[in-house]
Amino acid sequence: MTRTASLCTASATGILALAVVGLVVGDFPVPAREALATAIWDRGSEFDFVVNSLRFPRVVVAVLAGICLAVSGALFQTLIDNPLVSPDIIGIDTGAAAMAVAVLALGLDTRLLPYAAFAGAVGTAGLIFVLSWRRGFSGGRLVLVGIGINALLTAVITYMLVRFPIERVSAAARWQAGTLSSSSWGDARTLAIGMALLVPAAFLLIRQLRVMQLGDDTAIALGVGLEPSRLTVIIVGCGLAATVVAVVGPLGFVALLVPHVARALAGAFSGGVLLLTALLGAVMLLSADLVAQRLFAPTVLPAGVVTAAMGGPYLLFVLRRFNRAA
């Protein structure tokens, strides 16, 4: 417990440090003292637009999105007892992306985009759950069905990108990479509402998840309703992922990588480990967005490109360890 608390404290400190850096650095540098003053109380200063309209909402969105994705990944990995499972692997993010790309490619009102993405994610999750149900729930079937749905939806997205005019699909392609460049206080508010509703629900599910890890028979003997509990976990995990994708687009590997790192640092799944997972998610996405902004400045990369570059090698490392263990 002491180790987990220390790691949580270090992660929270890292979030604050990265947030300050996010307010300071950019094409128009702002001194740290003035950046903090402008963000907290001095809203009428000469740096007000740069800090409070451009950088501060981007930092807040990165923190909230990182928390939501990391918690979502932890729920799925614990439910299915597989550290290589996440919403982006089993097609939930791709379902959201398919609906969002359809809105952009068809030239529909872009105000529909968040709602379409959310509906796509939830609808895909429901389809995966129905197709993987066969006289009960099976984590293995859910993963296989999800991978198949993911491949199918990826093909649909590719078709739309080559079928429709380039001026429409260029915006869709950039959104699909996952970017925080146009983050606003409205996006932060949407994420905050989703997090306030779903993250506490995730913590309330910890007991059921820990009991289910003991096996179905033991869980039933201890009074846990397996199917309702599993469905609730899937709903909460999908809701967290869908909220993020609806706001900033699909950000690969955050939900996959962060829970694995948290378990490696702090041990088996628990309330403290879930809190650490949430904080590490914010650290990862804040770091990735800062790298995306400054690595090839003045060119700004989508944050999803950086998270993929960070997560891809680690995934290969984990797969290699699994192969050796087998």
Side-chain angles (χ1 to χ4, degrees):
M1 183 63 69
T2 302
R3 177 180 174 81
T4 303
S6 299
L7 290 169
C8 289
T9 301
S11 300
T13 303
I15 292 172
L16 292 175
L18 289 168
V20 172
V21 174
L23 295 177
V24 170
V25 302
D27 295 333
F28 184 79
V30 179
R33 185 189 299 271
E34 283 76 7
L36 288 172
T38 302
I40 298 172
W41 68 82
D42 189 10
R43 296 304 176 90
S45 74
E46 60 179 306
F47 306 112
D48 183 65
F49 176 76
V50 172
V51 172
N52 290 317
S53 296
L54 301 180
R55 295 180 185 171
F56 199 8
R58 184 168 184 157
V59 166
V60 174
V61 166
V63 170
L64 299 178
I67 290 173
C68 291
L69 287 175
V71 172
S72 175
L75 292 178
F76 277 104
Q77 290 178 12
T78 306
L79 174 67
I80 301 174
D81 196 21
N82 188 332
L84 301 178
V85 174
S86 67
D88 47 329
I89 297 296
I90 63 174
I92 294 170
D93 287 7
T94 312
M99 290 295 290
V101 169
V103 169
L104 295 170
L106 293 171
L108 303 178
D109 190 342
T110 55
R111 288 176 295 183
L112 297 174
L113 193 148
Y115 306 102
F118 189 87
V122 174
T124 302
L127 178 62
I128 293 170
F129 187 79
V130 169
L131 293 179
S132 61
W133 181 275
R134 184 177 300 172
R135 292 191 299 274
F137 174 85
S138 168
R141 282 200 302 271
L142 185 142
V143 172
L144 292 175
V145 170
I147 292 174
I149 295 294
N150 190 18
L152 178 62
L153 291 172
T154 300
V156 171
I157 292 173
T158 302
Y159 169 77
M160 288 189 288
L161 292 179
V162 300
R163 169 67 177 78
F164 291 95
I166 186 65
E167 61 272 13
R168 294 182 186 173
V169 299
S170 59
R174 183 171 180 82
W175 181 89
Q176 190 186 356
T179 179
L180 286 81
S181 60
S182 58
S183 299
S184 65
W185 287 116
D187 295 333
R189 182 168 55 252
T190 300
L191 286 170
I193 293 171
M195 191 180 80
L197 293 174
L198 295 171
V199 170
F203 278 90
L204 291 175
L205 291 168
I206 290 173
R207 178 187 173 276
Q208 290 94 315
L209 285 167
R210 286 175 62 88
V211 172
M212 284 190 287
Q213 287 182 315
L214 301 175
D216 290 358
D217 293 338
T218 304
I220 293 172
L222 292 174
V224 173
L226 290 179
E227 305 310 331
S229 296
R230 286 166 174 163
L231 181 59
T232 303
V233 172
I234 291 173
I235 290 172
V236 173
C238 289
L240 288 166
T243 302
V244 174
V245 177
V247 172
V248 300
L251 292 164
F253 289 99
V254 178
L256 176 67
L257 173 62
V258 174
H260 189 84
V261 173
R263 284 192 302 271
L265 291 173
F269 183 76
S270 65
V273 173
L274 185 59
L275 176 60
L276 176 62
T277 302
L279 296 173
L280 288 177
V283 170
M284 178 178 178
L285 194 49
L286 264 176
S287 303
D289 190 46
L290 287 172
V291 172
Q293 292 182 63
R294 305 311 305 166
L295 184 61
F296 297 108
T299 301
V300 178
L301 298 174
V305 173
V306 180
T307 59
M310 295 167 66
Y314 190 84
L315 176 60
L316 294 176
F317 169 74
V318 173
L319 287 171
R320 185 178 180 183
R321 286 184 60 189
F322 273 32
N323 288 335
R324 284 181 175 178

